[in-house]
Amino acid sequence: MKRTWFFWAPLAVLAFVLFFAIGGELVRLLWNWLLPPLFGWPEVTFWQALGLLVLCRMLFGGFGGGGSHRSGVRRRVAERLEHLTPAERDRFRQRMRERWGCESPTGGPESQ
């Protein structure tokens, strides 16, 4: 069992490198195909395209993977609300309405 990481670790590194190499090349090809003829912008090199790919990842998320941050926050709020008494829950919801003008942070029947 311990030896399997000797096999999977190099494959994971190779997949990571290939992903960025192919992604950078695709960004370069698409940029150089579309933007210079349409807008007169200069062509980019592979390294500039890779930088654009990383910048877009940082700004917009992308590359898929496990759900959004917002759904995690919503789930944690719902879990905390489960542990409150009905009176505490009503008081919390009232404060949310007063402060944010919304009905329920969990999307329960009160928000419909």
Side-chain angles (χ1 to χ4, degrees), residues 10-108:
L11 283 179
V13 170
L14 180 64
F16 182 77
V17 169
L18 279 175
F19 175 77
F20 275 102
I22 292 170
E25 187 62 19
L26 283 174
V27 169
R28 185 188 70 81
L29 289 172
L30 285 170
W31 179 285
N32 291 339
W33 177 54
L34 290 171
L35 296 176
L38 290 175
F39 302 110
W41 292 358
E43 291 188 358
V44 296
T45 65
F46 170 78
W47 296 108
Q48 290 170 328
L50 194 59
L52 284 170
L53 184 65
V54 170
L55 178 65
C56 288
R57 168 64 175 106
M58 288 172 24
L59 293 176
F60 305 115
F63 300 142
S68 70
H69 170 70
R70 189 174 286 163
S71 65
V73 170
R74 197 169 283 189
R75 185 182 65 247
R76 284 193 304 270
V77 169
E79 288 172 0
R80 288 179 184 166
L81 284 177
E82 288 176 6
H83 299 294
L84 297 177
T85 65
E88 290 173 328
R89 196 175 300 137
D90 289 340
R91 191 176 69 214
F92 173 77
R93 287 183 180 135
Q94 181 60 34
R95 281 188 284 162
M96 289 295 287
R97 280 187 217 110
E98 291 169 0
R99 183 168 185 164
W100 301 105
C102 66
E103 290 298 316
S104 171
T106 60

